Amino acid sequence: KHSASLLFGCWRGGETAKSGKKKVRMVEGQMEELLSLHTEMERKVDVVLDMIGMDDPGWSGEAKRIGGNFLFWLFFWIFFFYFNRFIVAPLVSARRKMDFRSGLDWDVRVMSTAHALLSAAGATYLVLFDTALIEDKVFGRSPFAEFELSCTLGYWVFDLALMFIHFKELGELPFIAHHVGGVLSFWGGLYEGQMYYFGAAVQLTEYTSPLINNRWFLDKLGMKESLLYTINGAGMLLGFIVFRIVLIPIILFSMWAPMSMGGNMEEVLMAKLYVTSFITSGTVLALLLSCWWTYLIFRGLMKTLAKNKKGKTE
């Protein structure tokens, strides 16, 4: 714009040749300053990329894609939660009558159920049909696997943020520990491009979440004495036994035991130590929590059955 204005002024005869040359030099000086600033910014960006290990052109594209997947799912779950909280939830009469704590719990569980259905369905496909992951359980990867695993990573990060924002209502330490372990494991695996198969296998445990949330919904809807509540409790206990108590040890065994279920000890040892450490420790933590929760579910189901039997006798 400066150059065009200058030329136009000179053409109109409003400027002398000497002053025109002076303005041209001024514009050239400003352009050199801008170019120098741009070069300096590029240098600083390269330093940051080098610090976080993304300076390699071969990795930068993958890192950007993984980061894009994560941000997509993070904003998806933020939108889902608040759209449900302020648009959909008020349409449910039982939800409108709840206090702040119960209403927040309702909204979080709706999001949890949606995530469980999406992630478990995607994980089933990855474990059974994604040839890249099946043929190489340690280093196998695919674009859909990156996208699907990012779904759970984005959900855990946002759910963890909600726990800290509403710590009084949602801040239960076992769930915080569960989410922190999951975030570290999934982010490490995605960033390094390793252990996608085992990440998908862990996602299969989400099949139990809809039953857990449904138990809470039935309780709040006044259906705790119904047959549906008892059936849901039995399904929840069975789901925990199959998808947590049995499945999680199988995941650990197939990961570390050579020649078992496709496990390859040499490949596991070639993987990044922090990735295998996070996944192993996170999976063990999930197993311990699942054992405790299974005990609580069993105890609760026994109490419900005893109460129902007593009611029929009377």
Side-chain angles (χ1 to χ4, degrees), residues 19 50 136 153 193 233:
S19 63
D50 182 64
D136 188 347
L153 180 61

Short mmCIF file of all heavy atoms in Angstrom, two decimals, residues 19 50 136 153 193 233:
data_model
loop_
_atom_site.label_atom_id
_atom_site.label_comp_id
_atom_site.label_asym_id
_atom_site.label_seq_id
_atom_site.Cartn_x
_atom_site.Cartn_y
_atom_site.Cartn_z
N SER A 19 12.30 13.32 -2.47
CA SER A 19 11.47 12.83 -1.38
C SER A 19 10.89 11.46 -1.70
O SER A 19 10.67 10.63 -0.82
CB SER A 19 10.34 13.83 -1.08
OG SER A 19 9.48 13.96 -2.20
N ASP A 50 12.22 -28.68 18.12
CA ASP A 50 13.35 -29.52 18.47
C ASP A 50 13.27 -29.97 19.92
O ASP A 50 13.60 -31.10 20.26
CB ASP A 50 14.65 -28.75 18.22
CG ASP A 50 15.88 -29.60 18.53
OD1 ASP A 50 16.08 -30.61 17.85
OD2 ASP A 50 16.61 -29.24 19.47
N ASP A 136 1.10 -56.64 13.65
CA ASP A 136 2.19 -56.13 14.49
C ASP A 136 1.58 -55.42 15.69
O ASP A 136 1.20 -54.26 15.64
CB ASP A 136 3.06 -55.15 13.69
CG ASP A 136 4.33 -54.75 14.45
OD1 ASP A 136 4.40 -55.03 15.67
OD2 ASP A 136 5.23 -54.16 13.84
N LEU A 153 -8.69 -40.39 24.38
CA LEU A 153 -7.76 -39.43 24.97
C LEU A 153 -8.44 -38.08 25.18
O LEU A 153 -8.33 -37.47 26.26
CB LEU A 153 -6.53 -39.27 24.06
CG LEU A 153 -5.47 -38.29 24.55
CD1 LEU A 153 -4.90 -38.73 25.90
CD2 LEU A 153 -4.35 -38.15 23.52
N GLY A 193 3.78 -43.75 18.32
CA GLY A 193 3.32 -44.68 17.30
C GLY A 193 3.46 -46.13 17.71
O GLY A 193 3.80 -46.99 16.88
N GLY A 233 -27.98 -54.95 37.07
CA GLY A 233 -26.92 -55.26 38.03
C GLY A 233 -26.22 -56.57 37.70
O GLY A 233 -24.99 -56.67 37.80
#
